[in-house]
Amino acid sequence: MDVLPSVTRAIHQECALAVDNYSISSGKSEREIVPFALIDNGLRWHVRAFDRKSQEFRDFVITRIKNPVVLKGQPVAAHEMSNQ
């Protein structure tokens, strides 16, 4: 639950978010994401976001995100926005 306030703040303010993401296959990775939606697939909650590391839109499982930091003041490019 400590991750959700930062995610919703970044969505509301249309900012990027620095996170530690824990993947089952590749372990921990530091990422900058631009979140724009929360999704419940019936099993778990996801954040839909543009991932600056892979340069594509991805879903991130909320429970696998740690240490979120809202990156206020950092510009968000047009191709990172949800309408893309």
Side-chain angles (χ1 to χ4, degrees):
M1 292 307 287
D2 59 328
V3 172
L4 198 54
S6 296
V7 171
T8 56
R9 191 173 305 113
I11 291 170
H12 178 72
Q13 296 175 353
E14 296 182 342
C15 307
L17 190 66
V19 299
D20 291 335
N21 187 63
Y22 292 83
S23 168
I24 292 172
S25 59
S26 58
K28 177 186 170 187
S29 64
E30 295 177 3
R31 295 182 179 267
E32 284 188 12
I33 61 174
V34 182
F36 61 87
L38 293 172
I39 304 160
D40 177 16
N41 71 359
L43 298 174
R44 59 184 70 95
W45 283 90
H46 297 255
V47 177
R48 183 69 172 162
F50 183 82
D51 177 23
R52 289 180 170 170
K53 185 174 183 176
S54 67
Q55 290 293 300
E56 61 187 17
F57 290 95
R58 292 200 170 167
D59 293 337
F60 296 89
V61 178
I62 288 272
T63 56
R64 294 184 190 159
I65 294 174
K66 304 291 183 215
N67 306 318
V69 176
V70 177
L71 302 174
K72 280 186 84 168
Q74 190 178 95
V76 174
H79 72 277
E80 298 175 329
M81 302 298 287
S82 63
N83 61 357
Q84 298 300 310

